[in-house]
Amino acid sequence: MTRDSLVRIEHLDIDYRQHGVWVPVVRDVSFELREREMVSLVGESGCGKTTLALSILRLLPERESAVRGGRILFDGSDVLRMDPDGLRSLRGGRISMIFQDPFSSLNPVLTVGEQVEEVLECHEGRRDPARVKSLLERVVLPDPSRIYSSFPHQLSGGQRQRVMIAMAIASSPKLLIADEPTTALDVTVQKEILDLLTRLQDELGMSVLLITHNLGLVAERSHRLAVMYSGRLVESGETAAVLASPRHPYTQGLIQSLPRIRRTGSRLPMLPGQPPELSRIPSGCAFHPRCAKVFAPCSREIPPLKKMGSSPDSDEAVACHLFGGPAS
Amino acid sequence: MTGYFFRRLFLMVPLLWGITFVTFGVMQLAPGKPVDVMTDMNVKMSAESKQKLVRLYGLDKPWYVQYGLWLKRFVRLDFGRSFKDDRSVSRKILERLPATLLLNVLSLLLIFVVAIPIGVASAVRQNSFFDKGMTVFVFIGFSIPTVWLALLMMIAFGLKLGWLPISGLRSLNYDELSWFGRMADVARHLVLPVTVSAFTGLAGLSRYMRNGLLEVIRQDYVRTARAKGLPESTVIYRHALRNALIPVVTLLGLYLPELIGGSFIFETIFAYPGMGRLGFEAIMARDYPVVMGVGVIAALLTLLGNFLADVAYGYVDPRIRHSK
């Protein structure tokens, strides 16, 4: 099934300032998100996945970050060149975002109702308590009237994340970015929240960019999967295909280190070493010091992301010297 | 919530008792006795009549007995009589209290009304020319001894420029003025003392407000507010400022004692007819009943300030308001 492109990121470079020195956080990332699809962006902490997500809404801290190059096209227009008015109608309107920590993401001095209603007021110009309550109902919060006048500290973590979701879907966005939406929650609540997101995506016909470091979460839900390492995209493709036959040694390592119910007795394999510090990214392929299949070109040249697979509309791509196919 | 406030009010009682005890003790430790001041310079005073005075005031008894006697009268709200002119201490304080309250309330208002916008402007335009200028101002504000600043301002605005009166609260022709003229006269007298007593607080609070707001702007919920597409003004004033003001409210309770303590000095410098100067003169004369009276009132005002700050804190922070 082919779908129309919704977000297109082209050769994006982002730097952060650390102790007065600019370090690369995102390098040469190109990436596409289509309508009504769920894409997972996977990688270890600090690989640049959250930065990438925040840059789509231009929410990066102004003084400490800089987009050095590339374009972010949403529905054909470049987000990086948008004026403040255009950006405001985009944020919370056509693109909304939910964050990792529901405990700190809601304003402690405003009621839940006020915070959800704000989105409607901002994008549709009217206050509508009845709509807010139906939104709260839609994200399966019990007793919406009570929740409406509650303060965030009176709710549980899962309930707060549901409030964040209600806020995010208030103006029927085309894209929902979920930045590790379940990391701060209990395991049982994690599944409920992801089920809710999957259901809402279907009902509202939106695209979802799910950022996570948990491969197990994405396996059954997302259509496509992209893996990041040290600021670069190292592999992408249909989720099922990537999980079944990962090409990049890093992806292989991630999948092997997933605990499985049937495999008992043996030690869980793990990737040796640590992801590199941003100020000291190794030459060539950033993964080469940890890679079991390292060979001559790895430390010299950065492998480009190459299209894999036989059919021309194949989604699979990998950035590794082991795969010397034609450059995409 | 209500229980919390009653508990706070109740706890003020032992605190107040402690304050009176320490004040009394410190007063006893200070060299010189009330009777010395009255008699030493007076050649007609014999040793015998001096002893008579000592007995009259109960100064021959041990200090703890004196304190007990004072406490016994105090619980009946009787502050005793001044050693100096034998007038009722409560009457003397009541005469002076309104002027002191006027000065301190105005200073406090000035501090908050000026410092909060300065702090917000500095934070919103962090590292701008304005922000850096304010940093210098705050540095100066903290470093200058206010006593010296008071004298400097008296010289500049009172003597050199002649714009403002430098002492007292009323001009000599006050009684001849119209109602409006009287108001204007008092206002002119208040400018220098209020400005000087607010100066340090102003510098501190504006910096505090700036840093508080910068801290809040980094919070996740401010990013959420931005991600919702709210205009920057709404993000700052509705989401960030309300949170940044919570700790500032508690400073209200901390500035009041500072101002009242400062009153003793400012009121003396500006010959301002307030409780602070009454207290200062009483200390110099070892006029125990007046010192104790002024001490108790100052302590009560301080405790009241703290209490009000607690109430305000509960009002602005729903997390406190809802806890039992």
Side-chain angles (χ1 to χ4, degrees):
Chain A
M1 181 169 44
T2 52
R3 288 169 161 138
D4 291 334
S5 164
L6 183 66
V7 182
R8 198 188 185 87
I9 295 172
E10 293 172 353
H11 307 290
L12 192 65
D13 288 337
I14 300 171
D15 286 1
Y16 266 3
R17 192 159 60 182
Q18 272 185 351
H19 316 292
V21 189
W22 291 98
V23 295
V25 182
V26 170
R27 274 292 170 270
D28 196 26
V29 168
S30 297
F31 177 74
E32 193 184 42
L33 213 125
R34 292 163 211 160
E35 290 201 355
R36 309 174 72 95
E37 79 171 347
M38 184 185 271
V39 174
S40 297
L41 191 59
V42 185
E44 284 164 281
S45 305
C47 73
K49 52 193 195 303
T50 296
T51 304
L52 186 68
L54 288 172
S55 72
I56 298 175
L57 277 179
R58 291 226 333 241
L59 282 174
L60 294 170
E62 259 173 49
R63 264 173 275 266
E64 282 85 48
S65 69
V67 177
R68 297 295 186 202
R71 298 202 295 172
I72 300 172
L73 299 169
F74 178 80
D75 252 356
S77 49
D78 190 349
V79 174
L80 297 176
R81 287 158 193 272
M82 253 177 209
D83 58 37
D85 284 340
L87 200 60
R88 271 206 301 278
S89 77
L90 195 70
R91 289 175 175 171
R94 283 177 296 159
I95 306 180
S96 52
M97 187 158 181
I98 55 177
F99 300 95
Q100 182 171 351
D101 188 355
F103 292 90
S104 62
S105 293
L106 289 167
N107 195 322
V109 302
L110 300 175
T111 62
V112 165
E114 283 175 292
Q115 297 190 55
V116 180
E117 206 153 345
E118 236 176 14
V119 182
L120 296 176
E121 202 182 356
C122 180
H123 293 283
E124 290 164 24
R126 66 207 168 95
R127 318 210 92 204
D128 189 347
R131 270 261 323 272
V132 173
K133 282 171 197 167
S134 80
L135 280 165
L136 295 175
E137 212 161 358
R138 187 143 198 195
V139 295
V140 208
L141 279 165
D143 197 357
S145 299
R146 187 182 57 85
I147 302 266
Y148 180 88
S149 48
S150 298
F151 286 94
H153 71 271
Q154 295 167 309
L155 307 182
S156 72
Q159 287 177 323
R160 288 186 219 190
Q161 199 60 297
R162 284 174 198 274
V163 171
M164 288 295 292
I165 295 172
M167 255 160 45
I169 61 166
S171 58
S172 316
K174 297 189 81 173
L175 170 64
L176 175 73
I177 303 170
D179 183 9
E180 309 219 15
T182 60
T183 309
L185 304 174
D186 292 341
V187 183
T188 48
V189 183
Q190 288 186 356
K191 190 180 175 303
E192 285 172 23
I193 294 286
L194 283 170
D195 287 345
L196 176 66
L197 276 178
T198 315
R199 183 167 64 73
L200 288 172
Q201 176 197 12
D202 206 41
E203 288 173 9
L204 297 167
M206 53 184 185
S207 308
V208 173
L209 177 61
L210 180 67
I211 292 154
T212 178
H213 59 240
N214 188 342
L215 262 180
L217 274 183
V218 309
E220 67 226 60
R221 288 169 211 277
S222 61
H223 305 108
R224 285 193 303 130
L225 173 68
V227 182
M228 273 184 93
Y229 186 79
S230 199
R232 286 173 190 271
L233 225 52
V234 295
E235 181 159 8
S236 66
E238 294 204 0
T239 308
V242 173
L243 291 178
S245 52
R247 289 188 170 90
H248 199 284
Y250 178 60
T251 318
Q252 289 171 359
L254 283 183
I255 292 170
Q256 271 165 19
S257 52
L258 278 178
R260 256 164 241 162
I261 291 168
R262 293 219 180 82
R263 189 173 61 197
T264 49
S266 61
R267 267 184 98 89
L268 195 60
M270 55 182 274
L271 281 166
Q274 296 284 321
E277 275 177 46
L278 294 172
S279 52
R280 277 181 286 162
I281 291 177
S283 63
C285 173
F287 186 62
H288 85 262
R290 301 171 74 188
C291 185
K293 296 171 182 166
V294 63
F295 67 118
C298 294
S299 59
R300 286 200 313 266
E301 265 176 70
I302 297 172
L305 193 69
K306 283 173 195 154
K307 263 216 160 91
M308 292 286 126
S310 44
S311 69
D313 59 336
S314 160
D315 270 328
E316 277 143 66
V318 66
C320 178
H321 288 299
L322 290 168
F323 300 88
S328 62
Chain B
M1 192 69 183
T2 324
Y4 168 74
F5 285 134
F6 276 111
R7 220 162 35 242
R8 286 298 318 234
L9 265 174
F10 188 71
L11 278 174
M12 279 163 66
V13 176
L15 208 54
L16 189 64
W17 174 79
I19 291 169
T20 61
F21 185 77
V22 170
T23 311
F24 198 90
V26 168
M27 208 57 222
Q28 295 291 324
L29 289 175
K33 293 281 168 253
V35 183
D36 300 345
V37 185
M38 282 182 243
T39 53
D40 280 1
M41 294 296 154
N42 195 337
V43 283
K44 282 188 266 174
M45 196 67 120
S46 66
E48 195 181 325
S49 47
K50 191 173 165 179
Q51 278 311 310
K52 224 185 242 170
L53 261 179
V54 166
R55 265 198 305 281
L56 178 68
Y57 292 143
L59 297 169
D60 52 343
K61 300 188 181 76
W63 67 270
Y64 47 87
V65 176
Q66 289 183 45
Y67 177 69
L69 287 171
W70 179 85
L71 202 62
K72 212 168 115 188
R73 270 183 280 125
F74 171 63
V75 292
R76 284 175 287 152
L77 294 178
D78 176 9
F79 285 107
R81 290 178 172 276
S82 165
F83 287 171
K84 202 166 119 196
D85 53 14
D86 201 37
R87 290 182 60 211
S88 149
V89 171
S90 10
R91 184 167 293 275
K92 282 182 82 131
I93 290 174
L94 276 177
E95 279 170 10
R96 300 292 195 96
L97 193 59
T100 291
L101 285 178
L102 183 69
L103 177 67
N104 286 314
V105 168
L106 285 176
S107 293
L108 212 56
L109 271 177
L110 184 71
I111 290 175
F112 277 78
V113 166
V114 176
I116 290 176
I118 288 179
V120 172
S122 299
V124 171
R125 282 176 289 169
Q126 193 191 358
N127 296 327
S128 65
F129 181 75
F130 175 80
D131 183 29
K132 288 189 172 138
M134 277 301 141
T135 307
V136 173
F137 165 75
V138 166
F139 187 71
I140 293 170
F142 262 133
S143 320
I144 286 185
T146 31
V147 179
W148 182 72
L149 179 75
L151 295 174
L152 216 63
M153 285 180 75
M154 284 161 89
I155 294 169
F157 295 103
L159 301 179
K160 288 268 155 52
L161 294 167
W163 292 351
L164 295 165
I166 56 166
S167 72
L169 185 57
R170 291 167 182 181
S171 299
L172 289 173
N173 62 347
Y174 181 81
D175 291 330
E176 299 153 25
L177 294 170
S178 63
W179 182 83
F180 182 78
R182 289 179 181 187
M183 287 292 125
D185 185 52
V186 169
R188 271 161 46 82
H189 279 86
L190 279 167
V191 173
L192 283 181
V194 168
T195 312
V196 170
S197 69
F199 198 71
T200 316
L202 206 89
L205 190 74
S206 66
R207 185 97 309 213
Y208 197 86
M209 187 68 231
R210 172 188 181 271
N211 294 348
L213 192 56
L214 283 176
E215 180 65 34
V216 168
I217 282 175
R218 277 202 295 273
Q219 297 295 312
D220 286 350
Y221 53 80
V222 172
R223 189 179 58 187
T224 307
R226 290 214 169 98
K228 286 200 258 187
L230 302 177
E232 191 61 18
S233 58
T234 312
V235 173
I236 298 290
Y237 294 106
R238 187 178 157 88
H239 284 266
L241 189 57
R242 277 180 76 161
N243 281 284
L245 279 175
I246 292 173
V248 169
V249 163
T250 53
L251 287 182
L252 193 81
L254 297 178
Y255 276 126
L256 199 63
E258 210 172 285
L259 286 173
I260 290 168
S263 285
F264 283 72
I265 296 162
F266 297 128
E267 291 183 5
T268 308
I269 294 174
F270 286 107
Y272 187 87
M275 195 182 74
R277 189 155 66 110
L278 179 70
F280 182 84
E281 285 162 358
I283 291 169
M284 286 312 176
R286 305 288 184 273
D287 191 348
Y288 291 170
V290 176
V291 174
M292 288 305 289
V294 170
V296 165
I297 298 299
L300 266 180
L301 287 175
T302 301
L303 293 176
L304 196 70
N306 285 331
F307 179 70
L308 285 178
D310 279 346
V311 175
Y313 201 101
Y315 179 73
V316 294
D317 192 337
R319 285 163 294 189
I320 306 255
R321 203 190 314 156
H322 290 104
S323 59
K324 289 288 169 301

